[in-house]
Amino acid sequence: MKTQYVSELFDQGSVTVKQWPLVRRAQWGKTTRPYPTFLERKDRFYHVQISDERQLERERWHFAVEQTDETPPDDATIETRPFDLSTQDERVLDAALDAVYAGNDGFLGDPEFDELQTVEFHHGLDPDASDLIPSAPFDFVEVNKEYFRPVTEQRSVQVPEWTYTVTDITQSPSEFNEYARTEIVEHDLTASSLSESARSVIDDAISDDPRRYEEGSPPSDGLSEVLEALGIAGDLEPIDSYKDRVDFRNVVAEYEDAIYRFDLIVTP
């Protein structure tokens, strides 16, 4: 599917896709913003950009399993490995089992999450071709002597849709480097007349790995000055309006003849 999308992008100059972020995004206050994204194809360099994006509301089937301490009754239908399912359904069931313990240390133990972790039948999965939907053909799944109940439900979800366009830049690597630098490096803090306190903020932000600078609310004068110099201040709402910390990630700027990427974070 991804190969098809990329082929269409180059053949037609644009492509509209659902749930496939060809252009990555970084957290930017209460929203996100796209990374500058480039492709190389047949010794030429291209710039990929988002020309349109929207959220679609769709009804989607979800499948999950939940662990149970209940011993299945004698007449229960129990699915065990190797699963007697279609390739698609086997993948969905494996994903649902993995989701219960996602992030665990490899030993089953207790489930990692309190809430049910579901596998969504997105547009790449066909619920009409699935025996798991609308209800599974078994009562329990047994894995490593533990039992899980199948759960299916239909939910209303928000599906992101993006339209991407591609622009032919150049065949020259040096010309591409110059173009990419202009697109990526948005601000030159070296040329800014920053105060000593603002420079201290920048020095702290670029001194450690990972490069980040964090303050509590309200932001200091130094941080406020840096936010203004980086064009972030216009995107920053009053700190009291945020319930959680405010992240501005992957800020790229030139400072004292070097280029840095760092994060600025304010905690209410």
Side-chain angles (χ1 to χ4, degrees):
M1 182 176 291
K2 292 179 181 180
T3 301
Q4 174 187 333
Y5 286 153
V6 173
S7 295
E8 184 177 341
L9 176 66
F10 281 102
D11 291 344
Q12 302 183 15
S14 68
V15 63
T16 299
V17 301
K18 297 179 178 65
Q19 290 181 293
W20 183 53
L22 174 59
V23 175
R24 294 176 59 197
R25 306 182 74 89
Q27 189 64 38
W28 200 255
K30 284 188 176 180
T31 183
T32 60
R33 67 169 185 167
Y35 287 121
T37 302
F38 309 97
L39 298 178
E40 182 180 5
R41 188 183 195 224
K42 296 180 181 179
D43 297 325
R44 295 196 66 85
F45 298 96
Y46 297 83
H47 189 183
V48 180
Q49 296 173 286
I50 299 173
S51 62
D52 188 36
E53 56 184 307
R54 58 179 181 157
Q55 293 289 331
L56 308 175
E57 188 168 323
R58 294 289 184 267
E59 293 294 320
R60 293 280 172 82
W61 279 102
H62 289 71
F63 177 84
V65 294
E66 56 181 355
Q67 188 181 20
T68 178
D69 294 329
E70 176 186 347
T71 300
D74 294 337
D75 61 347
T77 304
I78 302 175
E79 186 76 18
T80 59
R81 287 194 168 101
F83 299 136
D84 184 21
L85 299 168
S86 68
T87 300
Q88 174 182 274
D89 284 352
E90 185 174 343
R91 290 175 58 203
V92 170
L93 180 54
D94 281 333
L97 288 164
D98 289 343
V100 175
Y101 298 98
N104 205 278
D105 59 5
F107 299 94
L108 289 183
D110 294 326
E112 186 75 6
F113 300 99
D114 295 330
E115 297 180 353
L116 195 64
Q117 302 300 299
T118 68
V119 178
E120 179 183 310
F121 275 75
H122 55 75
H123 64 280
L125 295 175
D126 184 4
D128 293 333
S130 173
D131 291 331
L132 301 176
I133 301 300
S135 60
F138 48 84
D139 302 311
F140 296 88
V141 181
E142 181 185 357
V143 179
N144 296 333
K145 298 182 179 180
E146 295 189 341
Y147 294 98
F148 302 83
R149 286 183 176 276
V151 179
T152 60
E153 60 183 16
Q154 201 167 24
R155 297 179 179 179
S156 179
V157 299
Q158 294 292 318
V159 178
E161 180 184 85
W162 295 284
T163 298
Y164 302 114
T165 58
V166 64
T167 303
D168 187 345
I169 302 172
T170 181
Q171 190 173 17
S172 166
S174 61
E175 290 180 3
F176 167 70
N177 288 338
E178 183 178 352
Y179 178 92
R181 178 190 172 100
T182 301
E183 291 293 321
I184 295 171
V185 185
E186 300 175 296
H187 303 281
D188 184 357
L189 299 179
T190 303
S192 301
S193 55
L194 296 176
S195 66
E196 184 176 344
S197 61
R199 290 185 175 277
S200 178
V201 169
I202 298 297
D203 290 338
D204 286 346
I206 64 177
S207 62
D208 297 323
D209 189 13
R211 292 189 168 96
R212 57 181 286 176
Y213 180 85
E214 184 171 357
E215 280 190 13
S217 175
S220 66
D221 291 341
L223 177 56
S224 297
E225 186 178 345
V226 172
L227 294 174
E228 188 71 40
L230 293 171
I232 294 175
D235 296 321
L236 183 66
E237 299 180 19
I239 294 298
D240 292 341
S241 70
Y242 295 96
K243 294 181 180 179
D244 302 309
R245 75 180 196 182
V246 189
D247 293 30
F248 291 91
R249 295 195 171 274
N250 292 304
V251 179
V252 180
E254 185 172 355
Y255 180 64
E256 295 184 349
D257 300 323
I259 296 173
Y260 297 93
R261 183 175 65 184
F262 52 90
D263 302 330
L264 294 175
I265 300 169
V266 179
T267 304

